[in-house]
Amino acid sequence: MKYYSTNHSAPLASLEEAVVRGLAPDKGLYMPEQIKSLPTEFFDRIDTLSLQEIAFEVAKAFFGDDVPDDDLRGIVYDTLSFDIPAVRVTDNIYSLELFHGPTLAFKDVGARFMSRLLGYFVRKEGENRQVNVLVATSGDTGSAVANGFLGVPGIHVYVLYPKGKVSKIQESQFTTLGQNITAIEVDGVFDDCQALVKNAFMDAELNKAMKLTSANSINVARFLPQAFYYFYAYAQLKKLGLASNLVICVPSGNFGNITAGLFGKRMGLPVYRFIAANNANDIFYQYLLTGDYNPRPSVPTLANAMDVGAPSNFARILALYDNSVDAIRADIAGARYSDTQIADTMRQCLASTGYQLDPHGACGYQALCDLLRPDEVGVFLETAHPAKFKEKVDDITSSDVAIPERLAAFMRGTKQSVPLSKSFDDFKRFLLAENKK
Ligand SMILES: *Cc1c(COP(=O)(O)O)cnc(C)c1O
């Protein structure tokens, strides 16, 4: 399968090229040339299949031309080493709990898949040079990527994060790992970290000395595997006899997660419609209302992983729907919630159902409460475990959220990180010295 750029001025790329490059040379996002439909027979028996079996069928449609079945099965099964249950919250609302992976958030799925696919390419090429993944993080991406790549042979990960700007819980998830993961604590803000990574990719001397790649969320190998769990959500609701008018609601920031679901629908997954839930950063909500796309600087909210002012996957949605706002409106409804509403939802849901939401999932749950029609059943994606935001969640809902053991284990670990200034020269010197080790 070849991949084209949403800007249409870059040559078609192979899967391997698209994965190693991340962004296309014309700064567009890679899209698969075809989206294969899955046979009716697959949907007829999908409720008898496991998450891994379902995911393997979906993965074959995307990656089957490029990765032999046995290798692909290994990658998929190893990626999905945890369950993604659909849990009943009310009679017609279910929570798809995407937080049972190593870092308790949905980004684990894409990050684990990408690391294993990149590991496969490195082995296949008999690559004797180490591949270095550079990632800038304000919290969640760093932990998902670092844990996804932990122990993958031939690959080293450098996580750059802003000193003092990342919560202790988040920091512990990527600074305590050791092995092939190096955490770099930059004396600056997130934008400085991102600038260091961007400069590194553009530096000729550095790229000659070392093989560098990114693990950005726009990477096709992180983005496409997110389709897997939409099929599994459908399978679980079908088993309960509740899948005939299924609505899936996705708390959205960069819109990678929901776009993967839209790909699923294009492959034949019988989802009736989608809802994109925004926080106060409601650029997509406004786009649906007005037909105008007006990106603007993000504002901080309770659901901070959705604080995005220019959703990077918007270009993919436009490509998928041939730039037609009406076609987009036919498949996706919008909603947006202020911090006050998010906090109210968290309290009300806990009081009336006993279900503890995290601030992101709260946007998804509330959108279903507001927009679900009587003949529909809704599933919202619970994108992170409430314990990841323990202080806020405890404060809002007057509770004491239990910390899952795998999160507690990170917090017991010893922090190992390299302090660096925000100067590119320092960063470059550091990387070149690492490379000589
Ligand atoms: C990244 C993230 C989101 C937003 O997902 P997008 O794919 O960027 O739309 C939502 N919730 C949580 C917890 C996240 O980490």
Side-chain angles (χ1 to χ4, degrees):
M1 175 102 68
K2 293 285 188 206
Y3 290 79
Y4 70 90
S5 162
T6 50
N7 284 351
H8 299 284
S9 334
L12 293 176
S14 67
L15 174 64
E16 183 171 352
E17 286 164 343
V19 171
V20 172
R21 284 195 196 130
L23 202 64
D26 62 1
K27 307 261 190 293
L29 276 66
Y30 281 117
M31 290 279 279
E33 264 204 309
Q34 295 166 29
I35 301 177
K36 294 181 189 163
S37 294
L38 293 173
T40 325
E41 174 269 334
F42 168 68
F43 293 107
D44 288 345
R45 66 186 172 91
I46 194 168
D47 50 333
T48 66
L49 303 177
S50 69
L51 167 60
Q52 292 168 325
E53 287 166 336
I54 292 169
F56 179 49
E57 292 304 318
V58 179
K60 271 197 289 192
F62 288 124
F63 309 114
D65 299 344
D66 301 286
V67 184
D69 277 6
D70 282 348
D71 294 299
L72 188 58
R73 189 184 293 105
I75 293 169
V76 168
Y77 277 52
D78 202 29
T79 296
L80 297 169
S81 56
F82 48 88
D83 195 19
I84 303 180
V87 173
R88 183 188 170 283
V89 180
T90 71
D91 280 347
N92 59 350
I93 298 182
Y94 283 72
S95 167
L96 188 70
E97 293 185 344
L98 285 158
F99 55 66
H100 296 278
T103 73
L104 301 91
F106 82 90
K107 291 186 177 73
D108 281 332
V109 174
R112 288 171 70 79
F113 187 91
M114 178 181 170
S115 66
R116 282 150 184 81
L117 185 65
L118 200 56
Y120 162 79
F121 286 135
V122 171
R123 281 196 306 282
K124 193 187 74 165
E125 304 274 302
E127 183 71 60
N128 45 21
R129 277 211 303 175
Q130 171 177 293
V131 174
N132 301 284
V133 174
L134 305 183
V135 59
T137 187
S138 54
D140 274 352
T141 299
S143 52
V145 169
N147 283 273
F149 280 89
L150 184 63
V152 176
I155 301 178
H156 198 100
V157 177
Y158 295 92
V159 182
L160 288 82
Y161 71 102
K163 180 178 172 176
K165 306 273 188 316
V166 171
S167 79
K168 283 281 169 243
I169 293 187
Q170 286 178 323
E171 191 182 29
S172 71
Q173 290 177 302
F174 55 82
T175 57
T176 59
L177 300 170
Q179 298 186 54
N180 59 330
I181 311 298
T182 303
I184 300 177
E185 188 170 19
V186 176
D187 195 359
V189 294
F190 171 68
D191 290 345
D192 297 317
C193 300
Q194 202 156 33
L196 289 176
V197 169
K198 279 194 181 147
N199 285 328
F201 288 129
M202 289 187 313
D203 188 277
E205 190 191 346
L206 208 47
N207 282 275
K208 210 168 153 212
M210 309 173 72
K211 193 161 178 160
L212 301 178
T213 187
S214 79
N216 200 293
S217 70
I218 49 100
N219 198 295
V220 287
R222 276 191 61 190
F223 152 72
L224 287 173
Q226 297 173 154
F228 299 162
Y229 42 74
Y230 289 86
F231 289 80
Y232 186 54
Y234 173 79
Q236 293 179 77
L237 273 286
K238 184 169 191 275
K239 213 178 225 171
L240 298 169
L242 295 173
S244 48
N245 281 324
L246 187 61
V247 179
I248 299 190
C249 181
V250 188
S252 295
N254 266 321
F255 280 71
N257 205 1
I258 194 169
T259 305
L262 300 170
F263 271 67
K265 186 167 164 68
R266 201 54 73 84
M267 294 165 86
L269 181 67
V271 174
Y272 186 54
R273 60 190 184 105
F274 287 85
I275 300 172
N278 278 150
N279 58 23
N281 297 283
D282 64 351
I283 289 83
F284 189 79
Y285 175 81
Q286 296 296 344
Y287 167 74
L288 291 177
L289 280 185
T290 63
D292 295 325
Y293 177 65
N294 291 315
R296 57 174 201 264
S298 65
V299 296
T301 76
L302 274 176
N304 63 358
M306 292 154 55
D307 295 348
V308 177
S312 48
N313 286 282
F314 185 68
R316 284 194 168 118
I317 298 183
L318 285 181
L320 201 56
Y321 289 92
D322 277 334
N323 296 304
S324 162
V325 64
D326 288 327
I328 293 172
R329 284 176 182 138
D331 275 359
I332 319 171
R336 61 111 190 258
Y337 298 102
S338 67
D339 276 1
T340 315
Q341 289 172 310
I342 291 171
D344 282 345
T345 298
M346 289 167 66
R347 279 188 290 267
Q348 277 165 17
C349 180
L350 185 61
S352 64
T353 72
Y355 195 80
Q356 180 84 67
L357 295 161
D358 97 291
H360 307 82
C363 298
Y365 170 78
Q366 189 60 48
L368 288 174
C369 293
D370 293 341
L371 300 176
L372 211 55
R373 299 170 194 139
D375 62 334
E376 293 173 333
V377 171
V379 173
F380 67 96
L381 271 46
E382 183 38 296
T383 48
H385 193 288
K388 287 197 91 165
F389 315 96
K390 182 172 168 54
E391 275 179 28
K392 287 178 194 163
V393 172
D394 283 355
D395 192 36
I396 291 167
T397 59
S398 314
S399 40
D400 181 14
V401 175
I403 298 186
E405 170 48 32
R406 60 197 188 291
L407 191 51
F410 285 121
M411 293 160 76
R412 284 194 301 271
T414 310
K415 173 175 162 179
Q416 304 161 259
S417 67
V418 180
L420 276 187
S421 78
K422 61 182 178 187
S423 122
F424 179 64
D425 286 344
D426 283 354
F427 181 47
K428 180 172 169 180
R429 209 173 305 125
F430 170 77
L431 283 179
L432 289 171
E434 281 275 297
N435 196 42
K436 293 221 179 69
K437 276 188 192 167

